[in-house]
Amino acid sequence: MTKAVLWTAKDAETATGGKTTGDWTVAGISIDSRKVSEGDLFIALKGPNFDGHKFAQAALDAGAHAVMVSDAKGITDTDKVLLVDDTMAALERLGLAGRARSKAKIVAITGSVGKTGTKEALKYVLSQQGKTHASPASFNNHWGVPITLATLPADADFGVFEIGMNHPGEISKLVKMVKPSVAVITTVVGAHTEFFKDEAEIAMAKAEIFDGLDKDGTVILNRDNMHYFALARRAKELGLGNIKCFGTDAMANYRLFEANIVTDGSAVRARVGGCDLEYFIGCPGEHWVLNSLAVLGCVDAIGADPVSAAQDLADVTPPAGRGETHTVKLPSGDGTFTLIDDAYNANPTSMMAGIKVLSQTKPGDGGRKIAVLGEMRELGDIAPKMHADLHHPLTALEIDRVYSVGPMMAELYKTLPSERNAGHFDTAEDAIEPIKADLRDGDVVLVKGSLGIYVSKIVSALKSCGVVE
């Protein structure tokens, strides 16, 4: 099937202010020559340790229809070159042009945890009601957001954008490009505390998502979060009057009444937009229940159908690395175990959520609940205490065995009761074989940690034993 044209040479030239002699069209955008698809525009970005210009010709050889560069040296297909002054600045201009030509109703999502899962769930339910475009993976930073804008189809009905940050000021610039009609903050907790004085400062950085809203836009906040009133006050200071909230609070516009959390999801009873609903979301955990209300709030706020969306949540499952569950063969081949892949990232709040999901997942006969926990990054001075304190939920929720991975996780190793302590390893690679040797039929294994500790390698090694469809 032929992909729709995203940019013609003339349109891309006009949008970026660049120059081209060719008459090409492109259907996608790539910044990694190893992942180029047929028909892409390859954009040669530069960074402190890389220069995409070195791979521009390789991208063309791999099927790219054109390359955007600031230096055409070494490129033999000269009629496929879009020459610009600065590729990052030109990418931003291309993104702005993509946004300007779109009539889609746009939602922007941020938060300390839950951004990607909420984005994926909202993308799915909206796609059942119209043509929907969303940030791929975690394209939520200074290059991911403009790429998502630049690939926004001109005829899309809805757009869902994830916006992240590590430092103050980052969200404001990005959301001004996105110009959403709905802005959501899933929650504010102690993530990235290495770069902020306290949680209140984190909350104000998240509140930058209001900067891109028109005065008639809708703000959706977590009413159960301790920073709700500060965030609502900030929205009002900016002249935003349409403030909605979700949660268990009696004042919530999207209110949770009851949730029955089971192994493969949660049955939910809630009120959305004045309508009482009962629905099932195919993702286990309390955090998914609350985020499903944020999803339905967004659907309601942009004028789509929340009743239909609620029913479609039954088909939503956790994204890879964020709670995705697999049945996997034991290394011996004699039996299976359940693997909960939550290896993409971690902070104290999401770690607690993952441990709760593990505690609520029933092992098979003779099986155990096993947590493989990688260290949590960007916590600053409180990091030792945050790691050591994990022994409280692990003990209270009766997790049978715990493997700790990474230098900072040694603090947990010191505080965890010996009967639950399965071992500590400085690297993910060191932990793989001991974990595989310990597995029994019926075990449930949670793997969770910050991206930089690479516990995803443990997930890959375990899945290599054979995933049972």
Side-chain angles (χ1 to χ4, degrees):
M1 181 178 177
T2 304
K3 293 182 181 178
V5 172
L6 191 63
W7 295 98
T8 66
K10 180 176 177 57
D11 289 342
E13 185 180 56
T14 301
T16 61
K19 296 293 182 184
T20 184
T21 58
D23 186 21
W24 39 263
T25 61
V26 295
I29 290 175
S30 175
I31 59 172
D32 188 338
S33 62
R34 298 164 298 181
K35 299 178 181 178
V36 164
S37 296
E38 179 71 31
D40 277 355
L41 169 65
F42 173 74
I43 300 178
L45 297 181
K46 287 184 179 181
N49 303 309
F50 66 90
D51 185 353
H53 289 78
K54 296 178 181 178
F55 308 102
Q57 184 59 50
L60 290 169
D61 294 341
H65 280 191
V67 294
M68 187 164 79
V69 297
S70 58
D71 182 354
K73 188 184 303 181
I75 300 174
T76 56
D77 298 329
T78 55
D79 61 337
K80 297 180 180 179
V81 171
L82 175 59
L83 191 64
V84 298
D85 54 350
D86 177 279
T87 50
M88 187 64 232
L91 170 58
E92 291 177 355
R93 293 193 290 268
L94 192 64
L96 289 170
R99 179 65 184 94
R101 70 183 183 182
S102 173
K103 292 181 173 60
K105 296 177 180 178
I106 304 290
V107 177
I109 301 171
T110 194
S112 300
V113 291
K115 294 185 295 295
T116 302
T118 302
K119 178 257 297 181
E120 289 295 326
L122 181 57
K123 171 189 174 183
Y124 179 78
V125 298
L126 286 177
S127 70
Q128 306 306 299
Q129 302 188 34
K131 186 171 183 177
T132 303
H133 178 70
S135 310
S138 289
F139 276 37
N140 61 19
N141 60 8
H142 66 289
W143 54 261
V145 170
I147 286 176
T148 308
L149 284 169
T151 52
L152 175 63
D155 61 345
D157 299 301
F158 307 110
V160 186
F161 286 74
E162 179 182 341
I163 302 183
M165 63 97 188
N166 291 319
H167 299 84
E170 293 177 341
I171 288 178
S172 183
K173 178 181 178 181
L174 297 176
V175 77
K176 287 176 181 176
M177 297 176 67
V178 173
K179 297 180 180 177
S181 56
V182 178
V184 185
I185 301 178
T186 57
T187 193
V188 177
V189 296
H192 312 302
T193 50
E194 182 180 358
F195 309 115
F196 294 90
K197 180 177 66 178
D198 52 30
E199 272 191 24
E201 198 172 81
I202 295 172
M204 288 304 99
K206 297 295 184 186
E208 291 173 19
I209 199 167
F210 307 150
D211 294 349
L213 273 179
D214 290 331
K215 293 295 184 282
D216 58 351
T218 302
V219 171
I220 298 179
L221 303 173
N222 185 336
R223 180 81 186 201
D224 296 347
N225 185 250
M226 64 180 291
H227 300 285
Y228 166 76
F229 290 103
L231 292 169
R233 182 167 59 249
R234 179 57 183 155
K236 290 175 182 176
E237 289 171 355
L238 294 172
L240 299 169
N242 194 11
I243 301 171
K244 306 287 188 180
C245 56
F246 64 94
T248 60
D249 191 281
M251 299 299 291
N253 304 95
Y254 311 110
R255 183 185 175 190
L256 174 66
F257 291 136
E258 184 181 12
N260 180 23
I261 299 169
V262 294
T263 299
D264 59 347
S266 299
V268 181
R269 190 166 63 86
R271 177 168 295 163
V272 176
C275 179
D276 287 358
L277 299 176
E278 292 185 3
Y279 61 91
F280 186 85
I281 178 168
C283 307
E286 297 170 15
H287 55 302
W288 278 103
V289 171
L290 280 179
N291 288 339
S292 74
L293 293 176
V295 167
L296 296 178
C298 291
V299 172
D300 183 53
I302 61 174
D305 183 356
V307 176
S308 294
Q311 302 312 308
D312 290 329
L313 283 170
D315 298 324
V316 173
T317 55
R322 292 178 172 84
E324 188 177 37
T325 300
H326 305 276
T327 300
V328 184
K329 295 177 183 178
L330 289 172
S332 66
D334 187 18
T336 62
F337 66 97
T338 299
L339 173 64
I340 304 172
D341 174 12
D342 207 353
Y344 184 78
N345 222 333
N347 58 44
T349 300
S350 67
M351 189 68 83
M352 184 67 215
I355 294 169
K356 279 187 177 180
V357 169
L358 174 60
S359 74
Q360 293 163 345
T361 305
K362 186 178 179 181
D365 291 343
R368 303 155 299 170
K369 298 175 182 179
I370 300 173
V372 180
L373 306 182
E375 70 180 29
M376 301 173 286
R377 299 285 177 87
E378 298 182 0
L379 293 179
D381 294 340
I382 66 171
K385 184 178 188 305
M386 291 294 98
H387 287 82
D389 285 353
L390 288 174
H391 80 272
H392 293 299
L394 289 164
T395 301
L397 295 173
E398 300 182 338
I399 305 307
D400 298 304
R401 291 179 67 73
V402 180
Y403 288 89
S404 52
V405 181
M408 191 55 67
M409 269 294 174
E411 300 299 320
L412 172 62
Y413 180 74
K414 295 173 188 176
T415 58
L416 196 66
S418 58
E419 65 270 17
R420 301 186 192 279
N421 218 329
H424 173 74
F425 302 90
D426 282 339
T427 69
E429 291 90 342
D430 292 340
I432 289 171
E433 290 307 318
I435 293 170
K436 289 172 71 173
D438 185 35
L439 291 173
R440 296 180 191 168
D441 183 36
D443 282 346
V444 180
V445 182
L446 165 72
V447 182
K448 187 165 183 64
S450 283
L451 191 62
I453 199 64
Y454 301 112
V455 288
S456 57
K457 293 181 179 180
I458 299 173
V459 171
S460 297
L462 295 178
K463 288 172 68 176
S464 71
C465 298
V467 175
V468 179
E469 295 297 337

